Amino acid sequence: MKSTFIKAFKEVLREQILKKNRVEIDGFGTFEVVHRKQHQKTYENGRVVMVPPADIVEFKSKVRRSNEN
C-alpha cells in the first residue's frame, strides 16, 4: 500500500507542479513553483557565467524539530 500511495502522490504532485499550482500538505509543507530571473554567477576561480531564467520547485517545510520551540 505504501508504494501505491507514493506513486499516486508523485503523479498528482507532478501534474499540479506542471500546471504551476501550489501544493500544500497540512502538517508537512508546501511545494510551489518559483520563477528565477536570469543572473550572473561567479565561481571561486573568477569564472563568470550567465544562468538562464528558470522555473524551479521550492519546498517550505512546516515540520518542526523536537528541539525547536
Side-chain angles (χ1 to χ4, degrees):
M1 173 153 155
K2 289 180 187 178
S3 65
T4 305
F5 171 78
I6 292 172
K7 286 178 186 177
F9 172 74
K10 287 183 352 184
E11 186 176 317
V12 170
L13 180 63
R14 182 178 189 277
E15 187 177 291
Q16 293 304 309
I17 292 298
L18 287 173
K19 292 178 182 178
K20 298 187 181 185
N21 292 333
R22 182 175 179 221
V23 178
E24 185 172 346
I25 303 169
D26 288 340
F28 183 64
T30 305
F31 295 90
E32 188 171 13
V33 176
V34 176
H35 181 75
R36 293 241 173 119
K37 295 180 181 178
Q38 178 175 323
H39 62 278
Q40 285 186 350
K41 181 174 181 174
T42 305
Y43 290 95
E44 290 179 11
N45 64 5
R47 183 174 151 222
V48 178
V49 296
M50 288 301 293
V51 179
D55 289 335
I56 63 162
V57 178
E58 193 172 81
F59 176 73
K60 294 180 184 173
S61 176
K62 290 186 180 178
V63 177
R64 292 189 177 209
R65 294 186 221 162
S66 59
N67 62 353
E68 291 181 1
N69 291 328

Short mmCIF file of all heavy atoms in Angstrom, two decimals:
data_model
loop_
_atom_site.label_atom_id
_atom_site.label_comp_id
_atom_site.label_asym_id
_atom_site.label_seq_id
_atom_site.Cartn_x
_atom_site.Cartn_y
_atom_site.Cartn_z
N MET A 1 0.82 -1.19 0.00
CA MET A 1 0.00 0.00 0.00
C MET A 1 0.87 1.26 0.00
O MET A 1 0.53 2.23 -0.65
CB MET A 1 -0.91 0.01 1.21
CG MET A 1 -1.66 1.31 1.32
SD MET A 1 -3.19 1.13 2.16
CE MET A 1 -3.38 2.77 2.76
N LYS A 2 1.99 1.25 0.70
CA LYS A 2 2.85 2.43 0.77
C LYS A 2 3.33 2.83 -0.61
O LYS A 2 3.29 4.01 -0.96
CB LYS A 2 4.05 2.19 1.68
CG LYS A 2 3.71 2.10 3.13
CD LYS A 2 4.97 1.86 3.94
CE LYS A 2 4.65 1.60 5.39
NZ LYS A 2 5.87 1.32 6.16
N SER A 3 3.81 1.86 -1.39
CA SER A 3 4.34 2.20 -2.72
C SER A 3 3.23 2.70 -3.64
O SER A 3 3.47 3.58 -4.47
CB SER A 3 5.06 1.01 -3.34
OG SER A 3 4.16 -0.04 -3.58
N THR A 4 2.02 2.19 -3.51
CA THR A 4 0.90 2.66 -4.32
C THR A 4 0.58 4.10 -3.99
O THR A 4 0.37 4.93 -4.88
CB THR A 4 -0.35 1.78 -4.08
OG1 THR A 4 -0.01 0.42 -4.33
CG2 THR A 4 -1.50 2.20 -4.97
N PHE A 5 0.56 4.43 -2.69
CA PHE A 5 0.30 5.80 -2.26
C PHE A 5 1.39 6.74 -2.77
O PHE A 5 1.10 7.82 -3.29
CB PHE A 5 0.21 5.90 -0.74
CG PHE A 5 0.16 7.32 -0.26
CD1 PHE A 5 -1.02 8.05 -0.33
CD2 PHE A 5 1.30 7.93 0.24
CE1 PHE A 5 -1.06 9.36 0.09
CE2 PHE A 5 1.26 9.24 0.67
CZ PHE A 5 0.08 9.97 0.60
N ILE A 6 2.63 6.35 -2.63
CA ILE A 6 3.75 7.20 -3.05
C ILE A 6 3.71 7.45 -4.55
O ILE A 6 3.90 8.57 -5.01
CB ILE A 6 5.10 6.60 -2.61
CG1 ILE A 6 5.19 6.67 -1.09
CG2 ILE A 6 6.26 7.32 -3.27
CD1 ILE A 6 6.36 5.95 -0.49
N LYS A 7 3.43 6.41 -5.33
CA LYS A 7 3.32 6.58 -6.78
C LYS A 7 2.19 7.54 -7.13
O LYS A 7 2.36 8.43 -7.97
CB LYS A 7 3.08 5.23 -7.46
CG LYS A 7 4.31 4.36 -7.52
CD LYS A 7 4.00 3.03 -8.17
CE LYS A 7 5.22 2.11 -8.10
NZ LYS A 7 4.92 0.79 -8.65
N ALA A 8 1.04 7.38 -6.48
CA ALA A 8 -0.11 8.26 -6.75
C ALA A 8 0.21 9.69 -6.32
O ALA A 8 -0.10 10.65 -7.04
CB ALA A 8 -1.34 7.75 -6.01
N PHE A 9 0.87 9.85 -5.17
CA PHE A 9 1.23 11.18 -4.68
C PHE A 9 2.18 11.87 -5.65
O PHE A 9 2.00 13.04 -6.00
CB PHE A 9 1.87 11.09 -3.29
CG PHE A 9 2.44 12.39 -2.82
CD1 PHE A 9 1.61 13.41 -2.40
CD2 PHE A 9 3.81 12.60 -2.81
CE1 PHE A 9 2.12 14.63 -1.98
CE2 PHE A 9 4.33 13.81 -2.39
CZ PHE A 9 3.49 14.82 -1.98
N LYS A 10 3.21 11.14 -6.11
CA LYS A 10 4.17 11.72 -7.05
C LYS A 10 3.48 12.14 -8.34
O LYS A 10 3.79 13.19 -8.91
CB LYS A 10 5.30 10.73 -7.34
CG LYS A 10 6.26 10.59 -6.19
CD LYS A 10 7.45 9.68 -6.41
CE LYS A 10 7.55 8.86 -7.60
NZ LYS A 10 8.71 7.96 -7.65
N GLU A 11 2.55 11.34 -8.81
CA GLU A 11 1.83 11.65 -10.05
C GLU A 11 1.00 12.92 -9.90
O GLU A 11 1.04 13.80 -10.76
CB GLU A 11 0.93 10.47 -10.44
CG GLU A 11 0.27 10.64 -11.77
CD GLU A 11 -0.54 9.40 -12.14
OE1 GLU A 11 -0.06 8.28 -11.94
OE2 GLU A 11 -1.67 9.61 -12.63
N VAL A 12 0.27 13.02 -8.79
CA VAL A 12 -0.55 14.21 -8.54
C VAL A 12 0.33 15.44 -8.35
O VAL A 12 0.04 16.50 -8.89
CB VAL A 12 -1.48 13.99 -7.32
CG1 VAL A 12 -2.15 15.29 -6.91
CG2 VAL A 12 -2.52 12.93 -7.63
N LEU A 13 1.40 15.29 -7.59
CA LEU A 13 2.31 16.41 -7.35
C LEU A 13 2.90 16.90 -8.67
O LEU A 13 2.91 18.10 -8.96
CB LEU A 13 3.41 15.99 -6.38
CG LEU A 13 4.43 17.07 -6.03
CD1 LEU A 13 3.77 18.24 -5.32
CD2 LEU A 13 5.53 16.49 -5.16
N ARG A 14 3.38 15.99 -9.49
CA ARG A 14 3.97 16.34 -10.78
C ARG A 14 2.96 17.05 -11.66
O ARG A 14 3.25 18.08 -12.27
CB ARG A 14 4.49 15.09 -11.48
CG ARG A 14 5.16 15.36 -12.79
CD ARG A 14 5.70 14.05 -13.40
NE ARG A 14 6.53 14.29 -14.54
CZ ARG A 14 6.08 14.50 -15.77
NH1 ARG A 14 4.79 14.49 -16.02
NH2 ARG A 14 6.93 14.72 -16.76
N GLU A 15 1.75 16.53 -11.71
CA GLU A 15 0.69 17.11 -12.53
C GLU A 15 0.39 18.55 -12.09
O GLU A 15 0.27 19.45 -12.93
CB GLU A 15 -0.56 16.24 -12.36
CG GLU A 15 -1.71 16.56 -13.24
CD GLU A 15 -2.83 15.58 -13.00
OE1 GLU A 15 -2.68 14.39 -13.37
OE2 GLU A 15 -3.86 16.00 -12.45
N GLN A 16 0.29 18.77 -10.79
CA GLN A 16 -0.02 20.10 -10.29
C GLN A 16 1.14 21.08 -10.47
O GLN A 16 0.93 22.25 -10.78
CB GLN A 16 -0.43 20.03 -8.81
CG GLN A 16 -1.73 19.30 -8.58
CD GLN A 16 -2.87 19.91 -9.37
OE1 GLN A 16 -3.11 21.11 -9.34
NE2 GLN A 16 -3.58 19.06 -10.11
N ILE A 17 2.36 20.61 -10.28
CA ILE A 17 3.53 21.46 -10.47
C ILE A 17 3.66 21.88 -11.94
O ILE A 17 3.99 23.03 -12.24
CB ILE A 17 4.81 20.75 -9.97
CG1 ILE A 17 4.77 20.60 -8.44
CG2 ILE A 17 6.07 21.47 -10.43
CD1 ILE A 17 4.74 21.89 -7.66
N LEU A 18 3.39 20.96 -12.86
CA LEU A 18 3.44 21.30 -14.28
C LEU A 18 2.41 22.38 -14.63
O LEU A 18 2.62 23.19 -15.53
CB LEU A 18 3.22 20.06 -15.15
CG LEU A 18 4.40 19.10 -15.21
CD1 LEU A 18 4.00 17.83 -15.96
CD2 LEU A 18 5.60 19.75 -15.87
N LYS A 19 1.30 22.41 -13.89
CA LYS A 19 0.27 23.44 -14.08
C LYS A 19 0.61 24.71 -13.30
O LYS A 19 -0.15 25.66 -13.30
CB LYS A 19 -1.09 22.91 -13.63
CG LYS A 19 -1.64 21.81 -14.48
CD LYS A 19 -2.96 21.33 -13.93
CE LYS A 19 -3.51 20.18 -14.74
NZ LYS A 19 -4.79 19.67 -14.17
N LYS A 20 1.76 24.68 -12.60
CA LYS A 20 2.25 25.79 -11.77
C LYS A 20 1.31 26.09 -10.61
O LYS A 20 1.19 27.23 -10.16
CB LYS A 20 2.53 27.03 -12.61
CG LYS A 20 3.62 26.79 -13.62
CD LYS A 20 4.02 28.02 -14.34
CE LYS A 20 5.11 27.66 -15.35
NZ LYS A 20 5.65 28.81 -16.02
N ASN A 21 0.66 25.04 -10.11
CA ASN A 21 -0.19 25.17 -8.93
C ASN A 21 0.62 24.91 -7.66
O ASN A 21 1.59 24.16 -7.68
CB ASN A 21 -1.36 24.17 -8.98
CG ASN A 21 -2.34 24.51 -10.07
OD1 ASN A 21 -2.48 25.66 -10.46
ND2 ASN A 21 -3.03 23.50 -10.56
N ARG A 22 0.21 25.51 -6.59
CA ARG A 22 0.83 25.32 -5.28
C ARG A 22 0.20 24.09 -4.64
O ARG A 22 -1.02 23.90 -4.69
CB ARG A 22 0.54 26.56 -4.46
CG ARG A 22 1.13 26.58 -3.13
CD ARG A 22 0.84 27.95 -2.51
NE ARG A 22 1.40 27.97 -1.19
CZ ARG A 22 0.81 28.49 -0.15
NH1 ARG A 22 -0.36 29.08 -0.28
NH2 ARG A 22 1.39 28.45 1.02
N VAL A 23 1.02 23.23 -4.03
CA VAL A 23 0.52 22.02 -3.37
C VAL A 23 0.89 22.10 -1.89
O VAL A 23 2.06 22.13 -1.54
CB VAL A 23 1.13 20.74 -4.00
CG1 VAL A 23 0.62 19.51 -3.27
CG2 VAL A 23 0.80 20.67 -5.48
N GLU A 24 -0.13 22.16 -1.04
CA GLU A 24 0.10 22.26 0.40
C GLU A 24 -0.39 21.00 1.09
O GLU A 24 -1.50 20.53 0.84
CB GLU A 24 -0.63 23.47 0.98
CG GLU A 24 -0.33 23.69 2.44
CD GLU A 24 -0.91 25.00 2.95
OE1 GLU A 24 -1.31 25.85 2.13
OE2 GLU A 24 -0.95 25.15 4.18
N ILE A 25 0.46 20.44 1.96
CA ILE A 25 0.12 19.25 2.72
C ILE A 25 0.10 19.66 4.19
O ILE A 25 1.14 20.03 4.75
CB ILE A 25 1.13 18.12 2.47
CG1 ILE A 25 1.20 17.81 0.98
CG2 ILE A 25 0.76 16.89 3.30
CD1 ILE A 25 2.33 16.93 0.58
N ASP A 26 -1.08 19.62 4.80
CA ASP A 26 -1.22 20.04 6.19
C ASP A 26 -0.25 19.31 7.10
O ASP A 26 -0.11 18.08 7.03
CB ASP A 26 -2.64 19.80 6.69
CG ASP A 26 -3.65 20.76 6.10
OD1 ASP A 26 -3.23 21.84 5.62
OD2 ASP A 26 -4.85 20.45 6.11
N GLY A 27 0.45 20.06 7.93
CA GLY A 27 1.38 19.48 8.88
C GLY A 27 2.71 19.05 8.29
O GLY A 27 3.57 18.54 9.00
N PHE A 28 2.89 19.22 6.98
CA PHE A 28 4.13 18.78 6.34
C PHE A 28 4.85 19.94 5.65
O PHE A 28 5.99 20.23 5.95
CB PHE A 28 3.86 17.66 5.33
CG PHE A 28 5.08 17.11 4.67
CD1 PHE A 28 6.05 16.45 5.41
CD2 PHE A 28 5.28 17.25 3.31
CE1 PHE A 28 7.19 15.93 4.80
CE2 PHE A 28 6.40 16.75 2.69
CZ PHE A 28 7.36 16.09 3.44
N GLY A 29 4.17 20.59 4.69
CA GLY A 29 4.81 21.71 4.00
C GLY A 29 4.13 22.02 2.69
O GLY A 29 3.07 21.49 2.36
N THR A 30 4.80 22.90 1.91
CA THR A 30 4.24 23.39 0.66
C THR A 30 5.24 23.27 -0.47
O THR A 30 6.41 23.61 -0.32
CB THR A 30 3.85 24.88 0.83
OG1 THR A 30 2.97 25.01 1.94
CG2 THR A 30 3.17 25.42 -0.41
N PHE A 31 4.77 22.77 -1.60
CA PHE A 31 5.54 22.73 -2.84
C PHE A 31 5.00 23.85 -3.72
O PHE A 31 3.79 23.99 -3.88
CB PHE A 31 5.34 21.40 -3.58
CG PHE A 31 5.87 20.21 -2.84
CD1 PHE A 31 5.08 19.50 -1.95
CD2 PHE A 31 7.18 19.78 -3.05
CE1 PHE A 31 5.57 18.40 -1.28
CE2 PHE A 31 7.68 18.66 -2.38
CZ PHE A 31 6.87 17.97 -1.49
N GLU A 32 5.91 24.66 -4.27
CA GLU A 32 5.48 25.80 -5.07
C GLU A 32 6.48 26.07 -6.19
O GLU A 32 7.68 25.91 -6.01
CB GLU A 32 5.39 27.02 -4.15
CG GLU A 32 4.78 28.23 -4.77
CD GLU A 32 4.52 29.32 -3.74
OE1 GLU A 32 5.01 29.26 -2.61
OE2 GLU A 32 3.81 30.26 -4.10
N VAL A 33 5.95 26.48 -7.35
CA VAL A 33 6.81 26.83 -8.48
C VAL A 33 7.22 28.29 -8.31
O VAL A 33 6.38 29.17 -8.10
CB VAL A 33 6.08 26.65 -9.83
CG1 VAL A 33 6.95 27.11 -10.98
CG2 VAL A 33 5.68 25.20 -10.01
N VAL A 34 8.53 28.54 -8.39
CA VAL A 34 9.07 29.89 -8.25
C VAL A 34 9.89 30.19 -9.50
O VAL A 34 10.67 29.36 -9.95
CB VAL A 34 9.98 29.98 -6.99
CG1 VAL A 34 10.62 31.35 -6.87
CG2 VAL A 34 9.19 29.64 -5.74
N HIS A 35 9.71 31.40 -10.05
CA HIS A 35 10.47 31.80 -11.24
C HIS A 35 11.75 32.50 -10.81
O HIS A 35 11.72 33.43 -10.01
CB HIS A 35 9.65 32.72 -12.13
CG HIS A 35 10.37 33.13 -13.37
ND1 HIS A 35 10.54 32.26 -14.43
CD2 HIS A 35 11.00 34.27 -13.71
CE1 HIS A 35 11.23 32.88 -15.38
NE2 HIS A 35 11.52 34.09 -14.96
N ARG A 36 12.86 32.03 -11.32
CA ARG A 36 14.16 32.68 -11.08
C ARG A 36 14.56 33.46 -12.32
O ARG A 36 14.53 32.92 -13.43
CB ARG A 36 15.23 31.64 -10.77
CG ARG A 36 15.00 30.92 -9.47
CD ARG A 36 16.16 31.16 -8.53
NE ARG A 36 15.86 30.62 -7.22
CZ ARG A 36 16.55 29.68 -6.63
NH1 ARG A 36 17.58 29.14 -7.25
NH2 ARG A 36 16.23 29.27 -5.43
N LYS A 37 14.92 34.71 -12.13
CA LYS A 37 15.35 35.55 -13.26
C LYS A 37 16.76 35.16 -13.70
O LYS A 37 17.51 34.51 -12.95
CB LYS A 37 15.36 37.01 -12.84
CG LYS A 37 13.99 37.55 -12.53
CD LYS A 37 14.08 39.01 -12.13
CE LYS A 37 12.70 39.55 -11.79
NZ LYS A 37 12.78 40.95 -11.37
N GLN A 38 17.12 35.60 -14.89
CA GLN A 38 18.48 35.40 -15.38
C GLN A 38 19.43 36.17 -14.47
O GLN A 38 19.13 37.28 -14.04
CB GLN A 38 18.59 35.92 -16.81
CG GLN A 38 19.98 35.80 -17.38
CD GLN A 38 20.02 36.21 -18.84
OE1 GLN A 38 19.10 35.94 -19.59
NE2 GLN A 38 21.09 36.87 -19.23
N HIS A 39 20.58 35.57 -14.15
CA HIS A 39 21.55 36.24 -13.29
C HIS A 39 22.95 35.74 -13.58
O HIS A 39 23.13 34.72 -14.23
CB HIS A 39 21.20 36.03 -11.81
CG HIS A 39 21.23 34.61 -11.37
ND1 HIS A 39 20.17 33.74 -11.58
CD2 HIS A 39 22.19 33.88 -10.73
CE1 HIS A 39 20.48 32.55 -11.09
NE2 HIS A 39 21.70 32.61 -10.57
N GLN A 40 23.93 36.49 -13.07
CA GLN A 40 25.33 36.09 -13.22
C GLN A 40 25.76 35.30 -12.01
O GLN A 40 25.34 35.59 -10.90
CB GLN A 40 26.24 37.32 -13.32
CG GLN A 40 26.18 38.03 -14.62
CD GLN A 40 27.23 39.14 -14.67
OE1 GLN A 40 27.85 39.48 -13.68
NE2 GLN A 40 27.40 39.71 -15.84
N LYS A 41 26.60 34.30 -12.24
CA LYS A 41 27.18 33.53 -11.15
C LYS A 41 28.69 33.58 -11.30
O LYS A 41 29.22 33.36 -12.38
CB LYS A 41 26.71 32.08 -11.19
CG LYS A 41 27.27 31.25 -10.07
CD LYS A 41 26.69 29.86 -10.04
CE LYS A 41 27.28 29.10 -8.86
NZ LYS A 41 26.66 27.81 -8.70
N THR A 42 29.37 33.91 -10.21
CA THR A 42 30.83 33.97 -10.21
C THR A 42 31.37 32.82 -9.38
O THR A 42 31.01 32.66 -8.21
CB THR A 42 31.32 35.31 -9.62
OG1 THR A 42 30.70 36.38 -10.34
CG2 THR A 42 32.82 35.43 -9.73
N TYR A 43 32.21 32.01 -10.00
CA TYR A 43 32.83 30.89 -9.31
C TYR A 43 34.08 31.35 -8.57
O TYR A 43 34.60 32.44 -8.81
CB TYR A 43 33.19 29.78 -10.31
CG TYR A 43 31.98 29.08 -10.87
CD1 TYR A 43 31.43 29.48 -12.09
CD2 TYR A 43 31.38 28.03 -10.20
CE1 TYR A 43 30.31 28.84 -12.60
CE2 TYR A 43 30.27 27.39 -10.71
CZ TYR A 43 29.74 27.80 -11.91
OH TYR A 43 28.63 27.17 -12.41
N GLU A 44 34.58 30.52 -7.66
CA GLU A 44 35.76 30.86 -6.85
C GLU A 44 36.99 31.14 -7.71
O GLU A 44 37.84 31.93 -7.33
CB GLU A 44 36.06 29.74 -5.87
CG GLU A 44 35.05 29.62 -4.76
CD GLU A 44 35.36 28.49 -3.80
OE1 GLU A 44 36.46 27.91 -3.86
OE2 GLU A 44 34.48 28.17 -2.99
N ASN A 45 37.07 30.48 -8.88
CA ASN A 45 38.22 30.69 -9.75
C ASN A 45 38.10 31.97 -10.59
O ASN A 45 38.95 32.26 -11.42
CB ASN A 45 38.45 29.48 -10.66
CG ASN A 45 37.30 29.26 -11.63
OD1 ASN A 45 36.37 30.04 -11.71
ND2 ASN A 45 37.37 28.15 -12.36
N GLY A 46 37.02 32.74 -10.38
CA GLY A 46 36.84 34.01 -11.08
C GLY A 46 36.02 33.91 -12.35
O GLY A 46 35.66 34.92 -12.94
N ARG A 47 35.70 32.70 -12.76
CA ARG A 47 34.89 32.50 -13.98
C ARG A 47 33.47 33.00 -13.74
O ARG A 47 32.85 32.71 -12.72
CB ARG A 47 34.89 31.02 -14.32
CG ARG A 47 34.17 30.68 -15.58
CD ARG A 47 34.36 29.21 -15.92
NE ARG A 47 33.19 28.77 -16.65
CZ ARG A 47 32.57 27.63 -16.48
NH1 ARG A 47 33.03 26.76 -15.63
NH2 ARG A 47 31.52 27.32 -17.19
N VAL A 48 32.94 33.76 -14.68
CA VAL A 48 31.59 34.31 -14.58
C VAL A 48 30.74 33.69 -15.68
O VAL A 48 31.15 33.64 -16.84
CB VAL A 48 31.61 35.85 -14.73
CG1 VAL A 48 30.20 36.41 -14.68
CG2 VAL A 48 32.49 36.49 -13.66
N VAL A 49 29.56 33.20 -15.31
CA VAL A 49 28.64 32.62 -16.28
C VAL A 49 27.26 33.23 -16.09
O VAL A 49 26.91 33.69 -15.00
CB VAL A 49 28.54 31.08 -16.16
CG1 VAL A 49 29.85 30.42 -16.46
CG2 VAL A 49 28.05 30.68 -14.79
N MET A 50 26.48 33.26 -17.17
CA MET A 50 25.10 33.70 -17.08
C MET A 50 24.21 32.48 -16.86
O MET A 50 24.30 31.50 -17.59
CB MET A 50 24.67 34.40 -18.37
CG MET A 50 25.29 35.77 -18.57
SD MET A 50 24.91 36.93 -17.24
CE MET A 50 23.18 37.18 -17.46
N VAL A 51 23.39 32.54 -15.85
CA VAL A 51 22.45 31.46 -15.54
C VAL A 51 21.11 31.88 -16.16
O VAL A 51 20.59 32.95 -15.85
CB VAL A 51 22.33 31.25 -14.02
CG1 VAL A 51 21.32 30.15 -13.72
CG2 VAL A 51 23.68 30.94 -13.41
N PRO A 52 20.55 31.05 -17.04
CA PRO A 52 19.31 31.43 -17.71
C PRO A 52 18.12 31.42 -16.74
O PRO A 52 18.17 30.78 -15.68
CB PRO A 52 19.14 30.35 -18.78
CG PRO A 52 19.91 29.19 -18.28
CD PRO A 52 21.05 29.75 -17.47
N PRO A 53 17.06 32.13 -17.08
CA PRO A 53 15.86 32.11 -16.23
C PRO A 53 15.28 30.70 -16.20
O PRO A 53 15.42 29.93 -17.15
CB PRO A 53 14.91 33.09 -16.92
CG PRO A 53 15.38 33.18 -18.32
CD PRO A 53 16.86 32.90 -18.30
N ALA A 54 14.63 30.38 -15.09
CA ALA A 54 14.06 29.03 -14.96
C ALA A 54 12.97 29.02 -13.89
O ALA A 54 12.98 29.82 -12.96
CB ALA A 54 15.15 28.04 -14.57
N ASP A 55 12.03 28.12 -14.07
CA ASP A 55 11.03 27.85 -13.03
C ASP A 55 11.56 26.68 -12.22
O ASP A 55 11.94 25.65 -12.79
CB ASP A 55 9.68 27.49 -13.65
CG ASP A 55 9.00 28.67 -14.30
OD1 ASP A 55 9.29 29.82 -13.90
OD2 ASP A 55 8.17 28.47 -15.20
N ILE A 56 11.57 26.83 -10.90
CA ILE A 56 12.04 25.76 -10.03
C ILE A 56 10.96 25.42 -9.02
O ILE A 56 10.07 26.23 -8.75
CB ILE A 56 13.35 26.14 -9.29
CG1 ILE A 56 13.12 27.33 -8.38
CG2 ILE A 56 14.47 26.41 -10.27
CD1 ILE A 56 14.18 27.49 -7.32
N VAL A 57 11.05 24.23 -8.45
CA VAL A 57 10.12 23.81 -7.41
C VAL A 57 10.80 24.07 -6.07
O VAL A 57 11.91 23.65 -5.82
CB VAL A 57 9.75 22.32 -7.53
CG1 VAL A 57 8.83 21.90 -6.39
CG2 VAL A 57 9.10 22.04 -8.87
N GLU A 58 10.08 24.80 -5.21
CA GLU A 58 10.60 25.13 -3.90
C GLU A 58 9.72 24.45 -2.85
O GLU A 58 8.50 24.44 -2.98
CB GLU A 58 10.54 26.65 -3.72
CG GLU A 58 11.30 27.19 -2.56
CD GLU A 58 11.33 28.71 -2.59
OE1 GLU A 58 10.33 29.34 -2.17
OE2 GLU A 58 12.34 29.26 -3.04
N PHE A 59 10.34 23.87 -1.83
CA PHE A 59 9.60 23.23 -0.75
C PHE A 59 9.83 24.00 0.53
O PHE A 59 10.97 24.27 0.90
CB PHE A 59 10.03 21.77 -0.56
CG PHE A 59 9.36 21.12 0.61
CD1 PHE A 59 8.03 20.76 0.54
CD2 PHE A 59 10.05 20.87 1.78
CE1 PHE A 59 7.39 20.16 1.62
CE2 PHE A 59 9.44 20.28 2.86
CZ PHE A 59 8.10 19.92 2.78
N LYS A 60 8.75 24.36 1.21
CA LYS A 60 8.83 25.04 2.51
C LYS A 60 8.22 24.12 3.55
O LYS A 60 7.03 23.82 3.52
CB LYS A 60 8.09 26.37 2.48
CG LYS A 60 8.73 27.37 1.54
CD LYS A 60 7.99 28.68 1.53
CE LYS A 60 8.61 29.60 0.49
NZ LYS A 60 7.82 30.82 0.32
N SER A 61 9.06 23.66 4.46
CA SER A 61 8.63 22.71 5.47
C SER A 61 7.85 23.39 6.59
O SER A 61 8.18 24.50 7.00
CB SER A 61 9.85 22.00 6.07
OG SER A 61 9.43 21.16 7.11
N LYS A 62 6.84 22.71 7.10
CA LYS A 62 6.09 23.19 8.26
C LYS A 62 6.33 22.26 9.45
O LYS A 62 5.75 22.44 10.50
CB LYS A 62 4.61 23.26 7.94
CG LYS A 62 4.27 24.36 6.97
CD LYS A 62 2.79 24.50 6.80
CE LYS A 62 2.49 25.61 5.82
NZ LYS A 62 1.06 25.77 5.59
N VAL A 63 7.20 21.28 9.25
CA VAL A 63 7.51 20.32 10.31
C VAL A 63 8.53 20.96 11.24
O VAL A 63 9.55 21.48 10.79
CB VAL A 63 8.07 19.01 9.72
CG1 VAL A 63 8.46 18.05 10.83
CG2 VAL A 63 7.06 18.38 8.79
N ARG A 64 8.26 20.92 12.52
CA ARG A 64 9.19 21.47 13.49
C ARG A 64 9.96 20.34 14.14
O ARG A 64 9.40 19.29 14.44
CB ARG A 64 8.47 22.26 14.56
CG ARG A 64 7.85 23.50 14.02
CD ARG A 64 7.35 24.35 15.14
NE ARG A 64 6.84 25.57 14.57
CZ ARG A 64 6.83 26.71 15.20
NH1 ARG A 64 7.29 26.78 16.43
NH2 ARG A 64 6.37 27.79 14.63
N ARG A 65 11.24 20.58 14.36
CA ARG A 65 12.04 19.58 15.07
C ARG A 65 11.72 19.65 16.55
O ARG A 65 11.29 20.66 17.06
CB ARG A 65 13.53 19.87 14.85
CG ARG A 65 13.94 19.68 13.41
CD ARG A 65 15.42 19.83 13.30
NE ARG A 65 15.68 20.61 12.09
CZ ARG A 65 16.80 21.22 11.84
NH1 ARG A 65 17.78 21.19 12.69
NH2 ARG A 65 16.95 21.89 10.73
N SER A 66 11.95 18.56 17.24
CA SER A 66 11.59 18.50 18.66
C SER A 66 12.39 19.48 19.52
O SER A 66 11.95 19.88 20.57
CB SER A 66 11.80 17.08 19.19
OG SER A 66 13.13 16.68 19.04
N ASN A 67 13.58 19.93 19.05
CA ASN A 67 14.37 20.86 19.85
C ASN A 67 14.02 22.32 19.55
O ASN A 67 14.59 23.21 20.15
CB ASN A 67 15.88 20.63 19.64
CG ASN A 67 16.32 20.84 18.20
OD1 ASN A 67 15.48 21.05 17.32
ND2 ASN A 67 17.62 20.77 17.96
N GLU A 68 13.08 22.57 18.64
CA GLU A 68 12.63 23.94 18.36
C GLU A 68 11.40 24.23 19.19
O GLU A 68 10.56 23.37 19.43
CB GLU A 68 12.27 24.10 16.89
CG GLU A 68 13.47 24.05 15.97
CD GLU A 68 13.06 24.23 14.52
OE1 GLU A 68 11.86 24.41 14.23
OE2 GLU A 68 13.95 24.21 13.65
N ASN A 69 11.27 25.48 19.60
CA ASN A 69 10.07 25.87 20.38
C ASN A 69 9.28 26.90 19.66
O ASN A 69 9.59 27.72 19.01
CB ASN A 69 10.47 26.39 21.76
CG ASN A 69 11.03 25.26 22.62
OD1 ASN A 69 10.60 24.13 22.47
ND2 ASN A 69 11.95 25.59 23.49
#
